[in-house]
Amino acid sequence: MPSSASLSSDSPRSTSKLLRRARAAHDAGDAAKADRLYAELLETEPTNFDALHGRGRLHHDCRRYDSALSLIQAALRIDAQRPDGFSSLGLVFYELRRLEHALTSFETGLQLAPADAQLLNQRGVVLLELGRTSEALASFEQALAADPALLDALGNYGNALLKLNRPADAIAVYDRALALAPHNAGLLTNRAIALRKLDRPQEALMSVRRALAAKPDFAQARFVDSLVRLTLGDFQAGWRAYESRWQGRNLSLQRRTFAAPLWLGEGALTGKTILLHAEQGFGDTMQFVRYAPLIAARGARVVLEVQRELVRLVSRLEGIDTVIGRGETLPPFDLHCPLLSLPFACRTELASIPAPVPYLAAADEDVALWRTRLPQGGAHIVRPRIGVVWSGDPAHDNDVNRSLRLAALAPLFAVPDVDFVSLQYRIRDDDKAVLAGVPNLFRFEQSFRDFADTAAVVANLDAVVSIDSAVAHLAGAMEKPLLLLLPFGADFRWLRERADSPWYPTARLFRQPRFADWESAIESVAQDLRARFVVPARKLTA
């Protein structure tokens, strides 16, 4: 048999044979051989669509996205009527995070093949990432109409339903998919996430255990397992499993690498300099920075790196040698530990949560300055002043479940003889029109420089009403009465079925009694405010 090198370049049989061999090597995972065979074919037939497209797909699979893009675009210049080519082009753009280009590619492919289930599914994935969730849902529905057994489309359909805060519907779809693939770790993990939203942690634990049995090294499943265990108060297993967060898709990009070793509780700290560094949101930093003085008490010199917006506030924390804003040059250190690893490093159990408050406080001069800016009553009379936060960062994974619209808080604003102070850092467009109808809500968000200013305002308030937000953690850390509004399946740190928090002794938790039932929770807060503050107005002290 002649070698491939001696095959005639004008022989259709030789071209077809080379293409088959290249595809076979590609399918077998022999990327080097496949690439060589595709290149050999293109030397003899440089305008062969299938060779250019196949080699482009190969480079995509090998994460050589720039060359993959060039090859697939070259293929489509030869034949722009191939929907599979536009599918591959969209996948490359997706990996390059050029999402609008990816969407255009998939939609161009769908113009050529309107009922192509894969293209419909791919378009839905991009729409989901672009935040166009309802359109994504429709695209997945179309994909499943074309191919009811398309597993990826079923899983993504469930993900879109979850994004739309429809966890019960998502679970039903995941169950349909699991009937086709009962050991699919991704489906089982996402099902557990949906069950957590419905406050069904035991079922979630069973689902994630099945995922780990099918795929023991699946980091996302280990991470969800940690959240369920922490929600249930199983801190020993939960904090250990929470260390898997760095391998999952949620936080892998936030992992820090230092020459100094990671400290997770092993070894003495006396005489050592340890860097404690923030890793997630502002609220996470304020909750777990409470451990920094405990680490200092073990004989360590503590360098604390936090978000710049927290530097002024956290610099007042006792026992800290140096506070650094994120991005600034770090001094030398011997060890390091992320803030949310400290409960594991300190072997924190439910009964041993360190909760001495206040551990954060505003500077006296800031408190005095903001006192003059807050609403004052006539004749030296001041009404009770309540801080309020109703929405958080729209980019938060669970924002649809934890944030409110301002109009929903109408029962609070109807409480008589109370002034409310907005502690929001931003006002969403949907809420701006409502503000004019709330005359007893005072706004200062354009005056806040950082959280030290927010703390100074909080120090002048009688209480804070908040969703699960950074300001809620600030109020709790300052020992301010906190009325916390929580969704039905609350974040792990608020545990379950309790109205108090071992993390914040002055917090009272108002949970949705049923999924999405904010009305009942808000009415309970309004009743609490009436009981606490509807009393004769008090005179200002001199």
Side-chain angles (χ1 to χ4, degrees):
M1 177 181 290
S3 69
S4 59
S6 65
L7 290 171
S8 171
S9 63
D10 58 0
S11 167
R13 289 183 58 194
S14 63
T15 298
S16 177
K17 185 175 181 180
L18 264 179
L19 187 61
R20 286 198 305 272
R21 291 177 61 201
R23 286 172 171 168
H26 188 174
D27 291 342
D30 191 342
K33 180 179 180 181
D35 198 40
R36 175 175 56 78
L37 291 169
Y38 280 129
E40 188 176 331
L41 194 160
L42 288 167
E43 284 179 7
T44 60
E45 195 173 330
T47 60
N48 185 298
F49 174 93
D50 290 319
L52 286 165
H53 180 220
R55 196 180 190 197
R57 287 179 55 251
L58 175 70
H59 285 204
H60 166 273
D61 294 347
C62 295
R63 301 183 180 182
R64 296 166 59 185
Y65 299 125
D66 290 334
S67 60
L69 182 62
S70 297
L71 287 162
I72 294 169
Q73 287 176 326
L76 287 168
R77 284 194 292 270
I78 294 164
D79 187 350
Q81 301 301 310
R82 291 285 295 268
D84 56 338
F86 286 103
S87 171
S88 299
L89 181 64
L91 291 174
V92 175
F93 278 132
Y94 179 81
E95 294 296 345
L96 291 169
R97 309 311 296 157
R98 295 166 64 179
L99 297 183
E100 293 290 352
H101 286 79
L103 182 59
T104 299
S105 301
F106 295 139
E107 289 183 336
T108 303
L110 285 167
Q111 291 173 9
L112 301 169
D116 187 298
Q118 285 288 0
L119 277 166
L120 288 162
N121 175 59
Q122 290 163 345
R123 179 181 67 178
V125 170
V126 177
L127 287 168
L128 196 60
E129 289 214 25
L130 288 171
R132 296 162 60 178
T133 311
S134 296
E135 294 173 77
L137 193 74
S139 199
F140 296 136
E141 288 172 343
Q142 291 174 294
L144 291 168
D147 183 357
L150 184 59
L151 192 63
D152 283 347
L154 274 169
N156 289 326
Y157 185 35
N159 297 343
L161 289 165
L162 199 56
K163 191 80 171 177
L164 287 168
N165 214 28
R166 295 167 55 184
D169 293 335
I171 291 167
V173 172
Y174 292 141
D175 286 344
R176 281 171 56 191
L178 287 165
L180 301 173
H183 304 297
N184 186 292
L187 290 169
L188 288 163
T189 301
N190 288 341
R191 182 175 181 271
I193 293 171
L195 287 164
R196 285 191 67 235
K197 287 181 179 288
L198 292 173
D199 198 30
R200 293 157 60 181
Q202 295 293 352
E203 293 173 75
L205 196 60
M206 291 175 62
S207 192
V208 80
R209 282 176 176 171
R210 287 173 58 194
L212 289 168
K215 191 175 181 181
D217 61 345
F218 188 31
Q220 186 66 14
R222 292 201 306 274
F223 178 65
V224 174
D225 177 67
S226 75
L227 300 180
V228 178
R229 292 181 183 279
L230 290 170
T231 300
L232 291 168
D234 181 2
F235 279 19
Q236 183 175 3
W239 290 123
R240 181 179 296 278
Y242 194 67
E243 289 303 300
S244 66
R245 65 194 184 278
W246 303 120
Q247 286 77 47
R249 62 175 180 265
N250 302 70
L251 296 169
S252 58
L253 295 179
Q254 298 183 43
R255 186 173 193 175
R256 307 283 292 280
T257 302
F258 298 109
L262 173 67
W263 181 80
L264 290 178
E266 301 296 331
L269 293 176
T270 303
K272 301 288 182 65
T273 297
I274 184 168
L275 170 69
L276 305 180
H277 46 97
E279 57 175 89
Q280 298 182 42
F282 296 121
D284 298 292
T285 301
M286 285 187 273
Q287 180 177 1
F288 294 102
V289 77
R290 71 182 65 212
Y291 283 89
L294 302 182
I295 300 303
R298 295 190 181 196
R301 178 179 181 271
V302 174
V303 176
L304 182 60
E305 184 198 53
V306 298
Q307 299 93 327
R308 290 176 183 268
E309 296 88 338
L310 288 171
V311 169
R312 275 208 307 146
L313 175 67
V314 170
S315 293
R316 297 175 53 80
L317 196 64
E318 294 183 2
I320 309 305
D321 289 87
T322 306
V323 176
I324 299 289
R326 184 178 289 167
E328 297 177 15
T329 302
L330 292 167
F333 53 93
D334 304 302
L335 303 163
H336 78 96
C337 184
L339 283 182
L340 273 74
S341 289
L342 287 170
F344 173 58
C346 294
R347 305 301 185 257
T348 299
E349 297 282 358
L350 191 57
S352 63
I353 290 174
V357 291
Y359 59 89
L360 294 179
D364 291 342
E365 59 271 22
D366 289 340
V367 175
L369 174 64
W370 276 98
R371 185 179 300 122
T372 65
R373 300 180 180 180
L374 289 170
Q376 309 289 327
H380 302 290
I381 300 296
V382 61
R383 304 196 303 183
R385 295 183 294 214
I386 311 299
V388 61
V389 178
W390 62 90
S391 65
D393 184 353
H396 189 279
D397 284 345
N398 198 32
D399 182 68
V400 69
N401 210 31
R402 68 162 185 161
S403 287
L404 294 162
R405 292 295 171 259
L406 178 59
L409 295 184
L412 269 61
F413 301 135
V415 175
D417 300 321
V418 172
D419 287 325
F420 291 89
V421 177
S422 169
L423 300 173
Q424 296 280 147
Y425 269 74
R426 63 170 70 95
I427 306 293
R428 300 190 189 190
D429 291 340
D430 292 345
D431 293 327
K432 289 177 180 177
V434 181
L435 285 168
V438 191
N440 57 336
L441 176 61
F442 298 86
R443 297 168 55 192
F444 297 100
E445 68 274 0
Q446 294 181 351
S447 302
F448 290 148
R449 294 169 294 171
D450 56 19
F451 278 96
D453 281 338
T454 312
V457 176
V458 169
N460 281 289
L461 301 177
D462 294 283
V464 171
V465 175
S466 179
I467 62 157
D468 185 359
S469 69
V471 175
H473 290 280
L474 175 61
M478 292 179 65
E479 201 178 11
K480 186 65 61 174
L482 170 64
L483 288 69
L484 184 62
L485 284 159
L486 292 176
F488 189 57
D491 189 79
F492 73 87
R493 71 200 74 209
W494 308 117
L495 303 167
R496 297 182 69 241
E497 299 178 340
R498 56 190 298 168
D500 67 329
S501 169
W503 296 98
Y504 299 114
T506 58
R508 184 175 179 193
L509 314 186
F510 295 82
R511 302 174 184 269
Q512 290 180 345
R514 292 165 295 278
F515 182 76
D517 181 7
W518 278 124
E519 184 177 350
S520 297
I522 290 167
E523 182 55 41
S524 295
V525 173
Q527 292 175 8
D528 188 284
L529 289 179
R530 289 189 189 95
R532 291 187 194 220
F533 298 113
V534 179
V535 295
R538 63 193 187 281
K539 288 190 176 184
L540 283 171
T541 57

